[in-house]
């Protein structure tokens, strides 16, 4: 959420307004300040609160990205 010049929610709002359709995974150390409706309305796909394990990150990414298919 905390970034220079513009916060993560505003960045997602702007991207969605411009038609960007990629999934957004918001990583924050202070999710208590956010309600799910607020980040969902901003266009965030998923939220992960710090600290988290590599396995938790992997699971969140797996939930929001389609499986990779082999071309061979």
């Amino acid at each position: 959420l905390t970034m220079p010049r513009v916060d993560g929610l505003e960045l997602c709002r702007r991207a969605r307004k411009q038609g960007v359709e990629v999934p957004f995974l918001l990583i924050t150390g202070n999710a208590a300040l956010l309600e799910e409706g607020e980040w969902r309305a901003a266009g965030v796909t998923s939220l992960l609160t710090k600290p988290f394990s590599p396995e938790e990150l992997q699971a969140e990414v797996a939930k929001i990205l389609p499986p990779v298919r082999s071309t061979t």
Side-chain angles (χ1 to χ4, degrees), residues 4-64:
R5 297 189 200 124
V6 63
D7 71 42
L9 288 181
E10 183 58 27
L11 179 68
C12 289
R13 281 186 201 99
R14 291 178 187 183
R16 295 295 189 216
K17 189 174 181 180
Q18 292 180 4
V20 175
E21 296 182 16
V22 299
F24 284 103
L25 172 59
L26 183 68
I27 297 174
T28 182
N30 202 350
L33 297 177
L34 289 175
E35 294 199 21
E36 184 173 355
E38 181 182 9
W39 57 268
R40 291 271 184 211
V44 175
T45 310
S46 186
L47 178 80
L48 194 57
T49 304
K50 295 186 263 184
F52 53 85
S53 69
E55 293 80 15
E56 288 174 292
L57 176 59
Q58 184 177 8
E60 284 300 313
V61 170
K63 281 196 278 187
I64 64 175

